[in-house]
């Protein structure tokens, strides 16, 4: 490190301290230990778990991943062992890796979200990310994230059963009025917002003439969505300010390198998540952390939080 211009990359999001603003996105980093053999996982700011539900889920049948020229379609369907099993079997190892631990919580009903949140509240996770934006499940998931009236009761109930952890709500880019959903979530008790989850999309297998995925549609992630996701973060920052509902924003969608991450920070995000890029290049997040540090030193920026002010 250049001692004359030391770069402080640490950020605070709703009371959760991160050593840097780079977080592994939900569903793309397992529970961290898979990647521990490939990269120094302890360097990350945080790790979001795969989507967790109260009861175990087997996930979707049929094809689950499909590559597109500049992105990835997925239809995993929230395969997970259930929250109690996660806390018992996965969390101790994940906790020991070093980065902040964010539990990504899903459910088919409001009660399921609330019960799951109560279990996580009593566990040593640092934050809960409420996923009301999964496009790949039949019940619940994205249905809660499409309008404010559906989203607010989920956040209210989770807030009631979760007294100890900060709550971040993960928004859907498929919502017709994203700002309205976001403001409703903040008013219902969200301490932070993350966006974007995947865009509803599809592919057809021309050999069979049928949709590739059993659910017909799937979620698009990766470089193809980056400029749209960036625009959404930029606009949401302004909408929250105008509605006097400003909370930290965690931005994501197609971030592949430090330049991409800096764009999201400059759009107002307090931190970023990186998903699909890690599949193609497991060291992507490490390079992004180093790249942000180099940028700060070259511009003589002392604290990374200064980048997000606009
Ligand atoms: C294979 C896969 C599984 C995912 N699973 C989840 C999940 O369980 N919960 C969730 O909130 N988001 C999930 N996502 C969405 C990502 O966390 C992220 O919001 C999205 O992929 C956009 O970021 P990216 O373009 O960097 O991948 C998943 C994405 C992929 C590609």
């Amino acid at each position: 490190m250049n001692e004359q211009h030391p770069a402080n990359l640490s950020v605070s999001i709703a009371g959760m301290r991160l050593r840097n603003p780079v977080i592994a996105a939900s569903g793309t980093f397992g529970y961290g230990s898979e990647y521990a053999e490939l990269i120094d996982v302890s360097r990350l700011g945080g790790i979001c778990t795969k989507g967790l539900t109260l009861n175990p889920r087997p996930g979707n049948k049929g094809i689950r991943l499909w590559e597109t020229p500049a992105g990835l379609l997925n239809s995993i369907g929230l395969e997970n062992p259930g929250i109690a099993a996660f806390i018992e079997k996965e969390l101790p190892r994940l906790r020991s890796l070093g980065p902040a631990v964010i539990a990504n919580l899903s459910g088919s009903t409001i009660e399921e979200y609330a019960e799951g949140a109560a279990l996580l509240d009593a566990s040593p996770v640092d934050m809960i990310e409420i996923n009301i934006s999964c496009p790949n499940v039949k019940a619940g998931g994205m249905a809660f994230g499409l309008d404010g009236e559906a989203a607010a009761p989920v956040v209210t109930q989770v807030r009631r059963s979760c007294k100890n952890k900060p709550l971040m709500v993960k928004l859907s880019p498929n919502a017709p009025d994203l700002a309205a959903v976001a403001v409703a979530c903040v008013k219902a008790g969200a301490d932070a917002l993350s966006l974007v989850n995947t865009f509803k999309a599809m592919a057809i297998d021309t050999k069979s003439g049928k949709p590739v995925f059993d659910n017909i549609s799937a979620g698009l992630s990766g470089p193809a969505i980056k400029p749209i996701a960036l625009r959404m973060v930029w606009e949401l920052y302004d909408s929250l300010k105008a509605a006097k509902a400003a909370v930290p924003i965690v931005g994501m969608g197609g971030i592949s390198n430090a330049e991409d991450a800096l764009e999201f920070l400059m759009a107002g995000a307090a931190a970023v998540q990186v998903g699909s890029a890690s599949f193609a290049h497991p060291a992507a997040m490490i390079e992004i952390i180093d790249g942000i540090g180099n940028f700060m030193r070259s511009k003589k920026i002392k604290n990374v939080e200064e980048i997000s002010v606009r």
Side-chain angles (χ1 to χ4, degrees), residues 83-168:
I83 290 172
F86 159 75
I87 292 172
E88 196 197 320
K89 300 202 177 89
E90 304 288 349
L91 186 54
R93 176 106 201 268
L94 177 55
R95 196 59 289 176
S96 74
L97 294 173
V101 174
I102 303 169
N104 182 274
L105 171 68
S106 268
S108 304
T109 63
I110 293 177
E111 293 70 29
E112 238 188 84
Y113 274 99
E115 267 187 68
L119 293 181
L120 290 168
D121 197 35
S123 81
V125 301
D126 294 299
M127 176 182 261
I128 297 175
E129 179 178 61
I130 312 175
N131 175 7
I132 51 167
S133 45
C134 180
N136 300 321
V137 289
K138 290 219 166 69
M142 190 173 78
F144 289 116
L146 290 182
D147 70 78
E149 275 171 37
V154 179
V155 181
T156 302
Q157 289 304 325
V158 169
R159 182 79 282 173
R160 268 188 203 143
S161 62
C162 177
K163 302 274 183 258
N164 303 307
K165 311 286 182 195
L167 292 180
M168 177 156 80

Side-chain angles (χ1 to χ4, degrees), residues 198-211:
T198 52
F199 286 75
K200 199 174 171 195
M202 73 178 290
I204 293 177
D205 182 346
T206 51
K207 285 186 214 84
S208 66
K210 295 200 166 63

Side-chain angles (χ1 to χ4, degrees), residues 25-28 51 65 72 74 76 78 104 131 170 196-198 221-222 225 252-254 274-276 279:
S26 175
T28 63
L65 287 175
L72 186 65
N74 94 82
I76 308 289
L78 299 177
N104 182 274
N131 175 7
K170 186 161 176 181
V196 298
N197 207 320
T198 52
S221 60
I225 68 171
M252 81 197 92
V274 177
S276 307
F279 291 141

Side-chain angles (χ1 to χ4, degrees), residues 180-200:
V181 180
V183 171
C185 289
V186 172
K187 292 204 167 135
D191 303 301
L193 298 168
S194 55
L195 72 156
V196 298
N197 207 320
T198 52
F199 286 75
K200 199 174 171 195

